[in-house]
Structure formats: C-alpha cells, structure tokens
Amino acid sequence: MRTPLKQLIALFLLSLANATVLSAEFETTAVDYDNQEITIALTQEPPQLNGMKATDQVSIMVLGHVMEGLVGYDRRGNVVPGVAERWEIDDKGATFWLRKDARWSNGDPVIADDFVFAWQNTLKPETASEYAFILYPLKNGEAINQGKMKPEDLAVRAIDDYTLKIEFERPTGYFIKLTAFTSYYPVQRKFFESKSDRYGADADDLLYNGPFRIKDWVHSASLHMVKNEHYWNKDAISLNAINAEYITADTRSRLNLFIDGKIVLTRLDGETYKDALTQKFRIRRFTTGSVFFLEYNHRPERITRNVNLRKAIQHVFDADEMVNKVLATPGNLPGKSLFPVWLGGVNDKFRKEYKAPEATIDIALGKKYLEQARQELGIDKFPPLVLLVSDSPTAAKQAEYMQGLLKARLDLDIKIDIQTFKQRLAKMTAGEFDIVGAGWGPDFDDVMTFGDLFASWNLNNRGRYSNPEYDKWVRVAMNSADPQVRMDAMGQLQQILFDEAVILPQYEQGVIYLLHPKVSGVARRVVGPDPDFSHARVIK
Amino acid sequence: MLAYTLKRLLAGIITVWFIATATFIAMHNVPGDPLMNDKAVTAEIRKNLERKYGLDKPVTEQYFIFMKNMLSGDFGISFTQQNRQVNDIIRDHFPVSATLGVLAIIFAAAGGILWGALTAIYRNRLPDIIIMFLVILGISVPGFVFAALGQLLLVNINSLVGYSMIPVAGWGTFMHMIMPALVLGLGTMALLTRLMRSSMLEVVNEDYIKTAKAKGLSPTRIFFRHQLRNAILPVITVLGPQIAAITTGGFVVELVFAIPGLGRYFVQAVQQLDYTVIMGTTVFYGAFLVLMVIIVDILYGFVDPRVRLQ
C-alpha cells in the first residue's frame, strides 16, 4: 500500500539525489567585456514564460528578450519592424508581410500561421488568458473569448507562409503598437502541441524567435539567456549572454550585490536610496508610466456617489505635497490627470495639447462643497469614510497622510482598511469601500489604455462609475482611426473626470535605480519589456 | 521496540491527516479570492479558471478530491505558476532548504553543546556572563536583522580584501552556504546553549557523578562519559522539532541571500492564496516535522535505555 508518508519519504530521498541539479557555476561578475556578458538580478521567479498567459513584469521582461512580435520598439520607444518587414493598416484591417529570414531557435522559419495559432489560442476561453482582451480589436476576438464563436472564426488568415491578413472589429488606430505586446508574440503550432500543458514551464519547453534564447533556467535560482544564433538580426546584438544569477525581491540584498560588483542594475526604494547616496553612486530616474489615484465608490448606496463631497476633497488635496513630502523619493511626478504626461497626442504629447484642468487649493471652497454635500445627503454629520489600501509600507504612509489631511482641512473622519493584495482586490470588486488607493499601468502605447478605464462596461472600473456622456466619448474614440477625433474625445474624458471628480489623481510613479557604468544601451520602457538589455553592450 | 515504532508511526499519520484537514479549512476561510488578479477577467474566463482548479465544486467535494489526490501523492498544479506541479516545486526546492538546514543545525548543535558546557563549567564567572549575554541577544534579535547584518559584513569583507572572497548572495557552492547557515542556525544555537547549560548544572549534582568522583575517575572522563552524555538528552529532544523548524523557517534568509529554497514558496503561497501550493507545502512540512519527532523518539531509545523498557 502506498501511504502518503511513504510517498513523502520517497520524495525526500529522491530530492536529495536531485540536489546537485540546483548547483551552478558562480564565479561571475557584473560585466565581462571580452565575452560581452552581463549579470543581472530578477525580482521574482517568472511565474510562467507562456506568452499567451503571462501578465507580470518579470515574465514580460524575459519574454521581451527571447521573443519577437511582428514589430518591436527601438531605444526611444518608436515602432520598428520585427518579424514583419512591412505592413499596411487601414480602418478595416491590416496586412503584414513577414521577412523570410526570421527563424525559430530550432531553425524552422517563423510563418504567418504561427501568429494565427497564437492569437486563436490566447482567445480560446479554455486558455483563460487574463490578457485576452488586448486581442479584442481582431474581428470576432471578443465573441471567441466569450465562447460564442469558435477559435477558427477569428478573422486573421495566413494568405501564404509570409502574408498575414487581419480584419478589425472596429477601426483601431493604435493597432501597430499592440502587435509589439507579449500576447501578440507568435507560437509554433507543432511545438506547442508537443508540449501542451508544459509549454513555457522550462528552458526546453519554449521555442524562441527573439535576439536571445534561454540556455538554462533553474527555478528561483537563475536564468541564463544567450544570443540566439538563428535570430535574423543577430549582427545587431552585441551581448552574448544575459545571466540572471540571482532572484530576490529584497532591494537591500540587490543593493549589496550591486556594491559587491555582481549585478549591473538594481532598483532602489526609500530606504536603499539613502545608502546608495552615501556610496556616491550615480542615481538614475525613470518614470514607469503608471498613474496612482484614489478611486471613489460610485455605487448608489455610498455617500461618495455625491459629487460635491468628491469636489470638496479635490479642492483640499495638494499633489505636489504628496510627491515631495510623503513619497519623498526622486522621480515621481504630481498627479494632475488620469492621462500621464508621456502619452502621445495628435502631433505632440497629449497633455501639452489638452492641458489637464487643475483645481485651486482652497479650503474655504472645499468646506462650501462639503456643506452642500451634507445638505444633499440629508445627514447631520458625515460617517467615517472607509479608505481601502494594500499592505505595503508606502500605501499605509499615503493613507495616513490622507487621513490627517482630510481631518485637518475638512473635519472628515477616515477609517483606513489595510488589506493583503488578494483581499484588497476582492473588496474592491465587491464594492466594500468608500475610497480605494488604486493605480493603473499602461498595456499599450495609446491614450485608450487609460481612457476606457472608467467606461461603464470596463470590468476594471471597480468603483462602478457610470456616465452615458463618458461612455459616449469612449465610443467615439474607439470607432475612429482619425487621431484628431480620438484625441478630442480623450480631451473630453479628461474634462469629465475633472468636473465630476471621478477620481483623485495622486502621482505618476517614478523609480530610481543604479546602472553599472560599463554598460551602455539599456532601454527603460514605459510600455513593454523593462528593462530592455537587447541592444546593450559592455564598454571598456 | 517494533510495536513502539509502529504506534508512533500510526499516531504520526493521524497527525498529518489532521494538519491537512485543518489547513484546508483555514485556507478556504481566509478572506480574498485566489483567482483574482490586477486585471479583471470576464465571467467566461473566470468559469474556466474555476473549472481548471476544481473550485466550481462544493467545498466538501473539493476536500474529498484533495484527500484522494493526496493519498496518491498528487498535490495538483500551482495557481501562480500555472504550468508547474506542486510536487515538482517541492522536489526542486526542498533539497536546497534541507541542505541549508542541515548545515545550520550542525553549526547550532555543535555550538550549543560547546557553549552550554562551557558556561556550566564557568558558572557565574566572566565567560559564563559574556556567553549568556550573547545568548539572550541571539534569542531576542529577529532573524532578518542578523541576515541583513551578515550580508553587510560580507560586503565589507569583500571590499576590504578587494575581490569577492565570499559571495554576498546566491546559491551553488559551499562558500554560498556559510553565511546563510550561520544566520539561520544562530537562534537555535542560542536556545540550545541555554538548554545545555541548565541541563549540565542539573546533572552535576547527581549521585552518579559523586560516585564517579569517589571512584577516582579523571575529571575529563567524568565530564565526557557521565556528565555530557546525560546532559545531552534534553538537547536531543528539542533537536528534532528544531531541525524541522530550521529547514522550514528559512523564508527571510532565503529571500535576503537569494536562495532557491522551499521556504519562499511556503510564505509566498499564503500571501498569494495559491491553494495547491499552500496545501502541498504545509502537508509536506507537517509530515517532515512529524517524521523528525518520531526519529527523535526512536533515537531516545538508543541514548537512554530506560525509554526502551517502557
């Protein structure tokens, strides 16, 4: 009889025998000029390297080095040809002509069917991809994802091995930028079927078509990427190897590794920032592109549904103070709008063309709005508002700041509800809050990734804001490919968000980091794999 | 002896079953939703995820399915690493934690016995006071402080000698293991020192020591053959659970020193409500702890003949 205990003992003995597998050679340093190799640290083990399902930063970063979509980004974030040599896009659809020398790491050519297969598979409900929505611009994509149509009904066809024809559900002005995204990477049908559930689980369970391939991957310990000899543009790649030799979420530990000359890049936080300063390292800044804001609960039974209450808070909050005194690390920008400053508009940056309206900081005015709200709600005194935040030290600090601010300026009581990541999400979805500390990171390089967030149908609109006027302008932007029409619509959205004080923008997130002085060409990206070492090299 | 061992084993199996059941109930009652993530998913995708992990069935049915799978040694697929078996995770990462734990326990036991015996000999004199002060420090200062200090020490040593003499973090060679093992074993060593000291002091007044002295045995012989051997018994008692605690409680050390051990999975699984990994690691660790206790019980029989007779 097989008892669980026996099983466990067997497992234990077997595991001891396997212990040697986890050892690797270690005498590496951060940079190796002669061999053009660098060593890095990952902040966590990539949960999975199946591009059709990956959602986290680390997986997307690794996949960005070993995979290539129809197009890619250059160092400045401009779209450049990838597997596709050229393309034509109009309101109805797109045609991509693939280069004939693009190869998988086993030598097979990358063909149009690899894209058809990957996209069908991502949309299949059985795959349960969290990023399936990003393929909804493809005709019938949404219907397939909801199980109303078959994957074969996707209006994406391989005309021949090197021509890919796509029909759109609606005009998608930013489609070319989508094709650089992880969920749009190709997958070879034959290879995937030979691996099924194991696809992306280990180094040899993946087929690579990017500048690098994974040589070996020891879970939670190391991940070694080497130059992919089959990559069509391999001559443009300087690095021979990117060795992720350490995997730890501990920023202090990574700083120690950096000081010891073991890794080329590390991100700093409020604590390690001070240590890095005393070490006299050059501290670099980078804006991640994410916006953090307080989201109100707009459900009917909540008092935060009252616009004057929200406007009262809007008039006493000072984003500059938040950034300088509360966050107090360099790199963050005060939040003025849902739309961050880096987003492109018609000809220039969106925020230059459509200036974000700003509320004057006026406590008396705030009190007036509050009194109006009190009368409208027909209450004597405001009950404490529940502010839901996650359990990170920074989130708690920000919540306490808001608590103090609203008490001092409006005599409003705030009850802070600190919850773990999953529980915060559950409470947000169930609507158990008045105000929630939220944030949004861009999925693609277009205003729409922020704009449709508060459309009434958006599942991520967890405050359940619903305004036909807002929905109308989102639809206008969705159904047009004309930049002027789209940006005008987004400008309207920005105005509505302000007039109705739908959210309280707090800050645009910045990070500070250290980079080895002998490494050049590292790209930091707002959208897509970050940091990107693809075109980095070691200098003397 | 055989009946004794069998009885212990049976009790162990019941204990493991109880651990599994209690964890299962607790886990399903923790607030939060294991399938929820930053991006909201459609109802259709949600249904598919629930079906994949069997969460669409009633909890009691889930429990029986889990028990059935556990008996055949299958803990299922991780929620966060959707293409890795929980068994693979345990198989890949437990050896790392175990290696580190064994090193730490060797260090802790050797140190604890040595320092404990020393303090007993020099009772209430300067060496005793100094060591006991350090022991209190070792017990009361949390592990993450030692981990951070230990790593900082390595950084400073390396910058002093001008090259990476001892790796600051990572895993692979014996050099990588020294500092984490020291840090991990420190608390246990302090505990064992105290235990050893009081146990030594108790033994010193026993009749058989007096007899040995009266027989004219040399002090060294009395110390090793009579005093140490008798005093070490309580230390062995706590050693079993301590081995289990050390091999499982290395989360902080594993994080700071970037060690691919199971402790990280154990803690992260709870944070992320990764049901299958929570169950797999808890039952595995529970069984491991029970096994250690049983081994100690049996070892007792060898060290102390009186136990065998009962």
Side-chain angles (χ1 to χ4, degrees), chain A residues 117-345:
Chain A
F117 175 71
W119 299 355
Q120 285 179 353
N121 214 0
T122 305
L123 283 166
K124 249 174 29 185
E126 299 84 61
T127 308
S129 170
E130 288 173 42
Y131 258 123
F133 72 87
I134 213 159
L135 290 125
Y136 284 2
L138 306 174
K139 193 174 179 187
N140 300 337
E142 192 166 358
I144 294 165
N145 195 228
Q146 288 169 348
K148 290 175 193 152
M149 287 175 110
K150 288 199 290 292
E152 297 74 42
D153 297 332
L154 188 70
V156 176
R157 314 240 173 278
I159 303 295
D160 57 50
D161 276 358
Y162 299 100
T163 315
L164 185 68
K165 199 156 172 53
I166 297 160
E167 283 175 58
F168 291 156
E169 188 77 46
R170 64 182 80 88
T172 310
Y174 52 94
F175 185 75
I176 192 65
K177 289 163 180 169
L178 288 182
T179 59
F181 189 75
T182 319
S183 313
Y184 279 84
Y185 289 157
V187 176
Q188 195 188 51
R189 189 186 296 264
K190 190 175 68 183
F191 184 82
F192 180 83
E193 278 161 3
S194 73
K195 294 288 178 186
S196 68
D197 278 353
R198 296 280 305 159
Y199 181 78
D202 273 303
D204 50 7
D205 294 323
L206 253 183
L207 210 50
Y208 312 94
N209 77 323
F212 297 88
R213 66 182 169 84
I214 299 174
K215 195 179 92 193
D216 52 68
W217 175 16
V218 183
H219 291 286
S220 291
S222 64
L223 190 148
H224 295 149
M225 293 183 266
V226 294
K227 195 193 253 189
N228 180 1
E229 286 308 318
H230 288 285
Y231 182 55
W232 63 272
N233 199 14
K234 66 168 192 275
D235 296 338
I237 305 298
S238 306
L239 286 182
N240 288 316
I242 304 169
N243 299 314
E245 211 67 77
Y246 309 91
I247 300 178
T248 177
D250 190 39
T251 44
R252 183 162 298 280
S253 180
R254 291 203 307 273
L255 176 64
N256 284 335
L257 283 166
F258 187 89
I259 296 172
D260 203 38
K262 291 293 186 194
I263 55 173
V264 296
L265 187 145
T266 186
R267 182 174 165 171
L268 302 168
D269 57 17
E271 284 293 303
T272 44
Y273 167 54
K274 290 168 199 150
D275 292 342
L277 278 179
T278 58
Q279 293 276 344
K280 299 202 169 61
F281 287 127
R282 178 181 162 196
I283 291 171
R284 293 160 188 264
R285 300 165 183 202
F286 160 67
T287 314
T288 64
S290 298
V291 175
F292 286 80
F293 48 84
L294 292 182
E295 190 171 347
Y296 296 105
N297 195 340
H298 298 270
R299 287 169 178 78
E301 70 278 12
R302 295 282 170 169
I303 59 167
T304 37
R305 189 181 170 82
N306 185 290
V307 63
N308 287 317
L309 171 61
R310 302 197 302 265
K311 284 191 93 73
I313 297 173
Q314 190 180 38
H315 279 284
V316 299
F317 174 75
D318 183 355
D320 289 295
E321 190 176 80
M322 176 93 183
V323 165
N324 296 324
K325 296 210 174 130
V326 185
L327 300 172
T329 51
N332 297 297
L333 301 174
K336 307 278 184 205
S337 163
L338 172 67
F339 300 95
V341 289
W342 56 269
L343 283 170

Side-chain angles (χ1 to χ4, degrees), chain B residues 28-289:
Chain B
H28 279 273
N29 284 297
V30 168
D33 184 334
L35 296 181
M36 212 170 260
N37 254 319
D38 261 338
K39 305 269 181 232
V41 295
T42 59
E44 190 65 33
I45 291 180
R46 167 100 202 167
K47 254 186 274 160
N48 277 301
L49 280 171
E50 283 179 359
R51 205 174 307 138
K52 178 173 175 181
Y53 290 105
L55 296 181
D56 50 344
K57 300 188 178 73
V59 179
T60 39
E61 198 183 331
Q62 286 181 44
Y63 174 74
F64 286 113
I65 293 172
F66 164 73
M67 278 297 161
K68 204 178 117 233
N69 289 341
M70 190 181 83
L71 285 177
S72 61
D74 177 15
F75 287 108
I77 302 167
S78 161
F79 280 51
T80 37
Q81 296 190 294
Q82 292 181 14
N83 42 23
R84 266 184 104 193
Q85 296 278 335
V86 178
N87 286 0
D88 288 342
I89 291 177
I90 296 175
R91 192 181 302 129
D92 287 351
H93 302 288
F94 179 66
V96 175
S97 292
T99 313
L100 188 66
V102 166
L103 262 182
I105 210 80
I106 290 172
F107 160 69
I113 291 167
L114 180 74
W115 299 124
L118 219 66
T119 48
I121 293 169
Y122 289 98
R123 187 184 180 190
N124 291 340
R125 280 190 279 163
L126 194 62
D128 179 29
I129 293 165
I130 293 173
I131 293 170
M132 286 320 281
F133 173 75
L134 293 176
V135 162
I136 297 296
L137 215 64
I139 290 175
S140 45
V141 177
F144 63 86
V145 175
F146 284 126
L149 287 177
Q151 194 175 50
L152 199 62
L153 183 72
L154 292 184
V155 172
N156 289 330
I157 291 175
N158 287 348
S159 81
L160 213 63
V161 297
Y163 71 100
S164 286
M165 192 168 71
I166 307 168
V168 165
W171 189 249
T173 66
F174 182 68
M175 292 301 268
H176 286 98
M177 302 175 193
I178 297 173
M179 186 53 86
L182 285 180
V183 170
L184 191 57
L186 218 54
T188 307
M189 183 169 82
L191 191 86
L192 294 182
T193 306
R194 263 176 54 152
L195 200 69
M196 189 67 194
R197 179 177 184 268
S198 57
S199 162
M200 282 288 278
L201 291 176
E202 234 168 75
V203 169
V204 128
N205 297 322
E206 291 285 343
D207 289 344
Y208 54 79
I209 301 287
K210 286 181 192 148
T211 315
K213 275 185 189 158
K215 279 197 294 186
L217 291 181
S218 72
T220 341
R221 197 174 160 83
I222 294 174
F223 180 77
F224 283 109
R225 291 294 303 245
H226 299 273
Q227 214 177 330
L228 201 61
R229 194 174 166 194
N230 280 296
I232 219 163
L233 262 180
V235 175
I236 291 180
T237 316
V238 298
L239 211 54
Q242 280 297 324
I243 289 176
I246 271 191
T247 43
T248 57
F251 166 66
V252 170
V253 171
E254 285 174 11
L255 190 72
V256 170
F257 291 98
I259 295 166
L262 194 56
R264 276 157 88 178
Y265 283 86
F266 187 47
V267 175
Q268 278 160 12
V270 178
Q271 287 168 348
Q272 293 163 348
L273 284 187
D274 190 335
Y275 280 179
T276 46
V277 177
I278 292 177
M279 288 314 297
T281 47
T282 313
V283 170
F284 178 77
Y285 275 151
F288 184 65
L289 176 72

Side-chain angles (χ1 to χ4, degrees), chain A residues 397-414:
Chain A
K397 207 163 85 176
Q398 290 165 33
E400 280 161 20
Y401 167 74
M402 286 309 294
Q403 190 180 38
L405 183 89
L406 295 182
K407 181 73 193 167
R409 297 192 172 168
L410 291 177
D411 197 27
L412 268 179
D413 285 313
I414 296 288

